[in-house]
Amino acid sequence: MKVLRGAVIGCGVISPSHLASYAEQEQVEISVVCDIDRDKAEKRAAEFGVGRVETDYRRVMEDKSIDFVSVCTPHGTHGEIVLAALENGKHVMCEKILDCRREMVDAMDAAAQARPDLVTGGIFQHRYEKINILIRDLIQSGVLGDIASVSLSVSAKRTDEYYNNDAWRGTKRWEGGGLLINQEIHYLDLLRYFFGEVESLQAICENRFHRGVIEVEDTASIMLRFKSGVLAAASGSTGAANPWHCVLCILGTKGIIETADEKLFRFEYCDKELEKEITEKFAAASVSPLLPAGQKAYYGGAHLLQLADFIRYIRAGKGTSDMIGSLANAARTARLVLDCYRSSEGKCTVTC
């Protein structure tokens, strides 16, 4: 089996999740790490035994020995790096959000479609968690009956220090937004994974707790209408007291599912025998892969699963049309978040 050689571009807080996940893959070698801050890059290289450090991603793209890249830089830099990777014939996996500029998201999506020979992905690791796959199967098989109501609540305490420690955070140009684009985006993506595409939405986004510190929202409430007819309410804030908490409630005409932080909190079903059987399935699905070194607990362990899938698709040589973590899927979620901002700014309902 051929050794696949890769690069990780961006050596901030998410990079260990990529580096540790690739280290678990057979015949995969990270040959270079890259960051505009050489000290950061050298620290990651030493931590993960990577032999080469660069400060300009263009030098990585020129290296024909590199088969794939992971993009882990600030949001507002993703587009140029992904486009350069595709232009240079490299498979690419990009962290969320694909980019905070809609025109760049569209350009990335079009470039990926123009290179079906390359595997292109966007990180939404929660799609790969067993509990979320089970929930999707229950919804799509009709076990829950018709979906009557969906509610989502996301809270993540982010202090002024958090934003001040990285100059790009909380800026319109480089982060593109706040709560929605950086924390709640994962769960908006899961709603798409469960219920399909959104038809229209109304959003209110406000900066309530970090005025004078950030340019973007820290609190948001959204009403979503899916093309399937499902209605969902999503709310959240980075001003809450707890470090991280996500609660999802799905009310069906035959059953109810509530999860908290990717774990089953409550399952009730009209058929008590089937309720017992499905509850056992939830117990089995709660077993997650171990967290890669240096990863924050609320990321979950599924970076390992998504990046393993990325490598499998590269080896299969068949493109990404059916990969659940494809760039095309990530682009749809990016547009959804950007539509939320458009709705809030215009104080209007947006058709997606």
Side-chain angles (χ1 to χ4, degrees):
M1 183 164 56
K2 175 191 173 184
V3 174
L4 293 175
R5 292 183 169 82
V8 172
I9 301 174
C11 294
V13 295
I14 200 63
S15 60
S17 298
H18 289 246
L19 288 159
S21 295
Y22 287 129
E24 295 294 317
Q25 309 307 310
E26 187 178 357
Q27 295 291 87
V28 171
E29 174 188 305
I30 298 301
S31 302
V32 55
V33 291
C34 178
D35 197 287
I36 57 173
D37 183 332
R38 178 170 283 276
D39 289 343
K40 272 188 179 181
E42 288 180 347
K43 178 183 175 182
R44 288 288 181 252
E47 186 179 355
F48 288 94
V50 179
R52 178 179 159 202
V53 166
E54 293 288 353
T55 57
D56 188 338
Y57 74 85
R58 296 171 188 84
R59 289 178 60 83
V60 177
M61 300 310 173
E62 292 166 359
D63 187 342
K64 294 183 179 178
S65 73
I66 301 297
D67 299 300
F68 68 90
V69 297
S70 265
V71 180
C72 302
T73 56
H75 303 161
T77 65
H78 287 173
E80 287 84 358
I81 299 172
V82 168
L83 291 175
L86 295 174
E87 287 167 7
N88 285 274
K90 302 192 188 309
H91 308 285
V92 60
M93 178 61 70
C94 183
E95 265 295 337
K96 57 82 186 165
I97 184 173
L98 283 188
D99 202 280
C100 52
R101 299 160 290 177
R102 191 177 188 112
E103 66 276 12
M104 190 57 79
V105 171
D106 292 343
M108 297 160 79
D109 194 8
Q113 290 182 44
R115 291 298 308 262
D117 55 313
L118 297 176
V119 180
T120 55
I123 289 288
F124 280 114
Q125 75 273 16
H126 295 303
R127 284 177 174 244
Y128 285 81
E129 290 171 347
K130 291 179 181 178
I131 188 170
N132 292 324
I133 294 170
L134 175 57
I135 290 170
R136 184 174 186 262
D137 288 346
L138 293 173
I139 293 166
Q140 296 202 341
S141 66
V143 168
L144 296 180
D146 293 330
I147 304 302
S149 175
V150 177
S151 61
L152 169 69
S153 174
V154 177
S155 55
K157 185 173 181 60
R158 294 295 181 265
T159 62
D160 290 351
E161 289 75 19
Y162 166 85
Y163 290 108
N164 289 330
N165 282 341
D166 283 301
W168 68 279
R169 292 198 183 277
T171 63
K172 288 184 179 178
R173 172 62 185 91
W174 299 110
E175 189 168 19
L179 165 78
L180 291 184
I181 211 166
N182 209 24
Q183 285 89 30
E184 194 160 342
I185 187 172
H186 286 288
Y187 302 100
L188 294 175
D189 180 72
L190 276 181
L191 293 183
R192 279 193 56 247
Y193 181 55
F194 294 153
F195 304 112
E197 302 306 327
V198 174
E199 180 179 281
S200 62
L201 62 85
Q202 285 183 300
I204 300 173
C205 303
E206 294 182 355
N207 182 351
R208 298 187 60 210
F209 304 103
H210 299 93
R211 291 172 185 158
V213 178
I214 62 176
E215 304 170 346
V216 295
E217 90 288 350
D218 57 24
T219 303
S221 292
I222 313 163
M223 288 298 302
L224 302 137
R225 178 185 292 276
F226 289 81
K227 291 180 180 178
S228 62
V230 171
L231 299 176
S235 62
S237 179
T238 59
N242 52 298
W244 189 276
H245 193 48
C246 174
V247 177
L248 175 65
C249 181
I250 302 170
L251 305 180
T253 55
K254 294 182 180 179
I256 297 171
I257 297 174
E258 286 186 79
T259 65
D261 302 327
E262 312 301 315
K263 295 180 177 62
L264 182 67
F265 176 73
R266 177 186 176 201
F267 177 68
E268 292 184 9
Y269 197 63
C270 57
D271 180 330
K272 293 306 173 184
E273 284 298 316
L274 195 52
E275 178 183 299
K276 181 180 178 182
E277 180 183 327
I278 293 173
T279 300
E280 290 172 356
K281 289 182 179 180
F282 271 112
S286 67
V287 179
S288 297
L290 295 175
L291 299 176
Q295 180 166 293
K296 297 175 182 177
Y298 55 78
Y299 292 165
H303 269 88
L304 179 64
L305 301 177
Q306 181 163 5
L307 293 172
D309 201 32
F310 176 51
I311 294 300
R312 279 195 295 272
Y313 271 79
I314 292 173
R315 292 204 183 279
K318 62 175 185 176
T320 55
S321 61
D322 62 346
M323 189 170 76
I324 63 171
S326 69
L327 188 144
N329 254 322
R332 294 186 190 104
T333 297
R335 293 186 189 104
L336 175 60
V337 169
L338 298 177
D339 280 342
C340 290
Y341 292 138
R342 187 157 60 99
S343 171
S344 182
E345 290 165 5
K347 296 181 172 58
C348 62
T349 298
V350 168
T351 301
C352 300

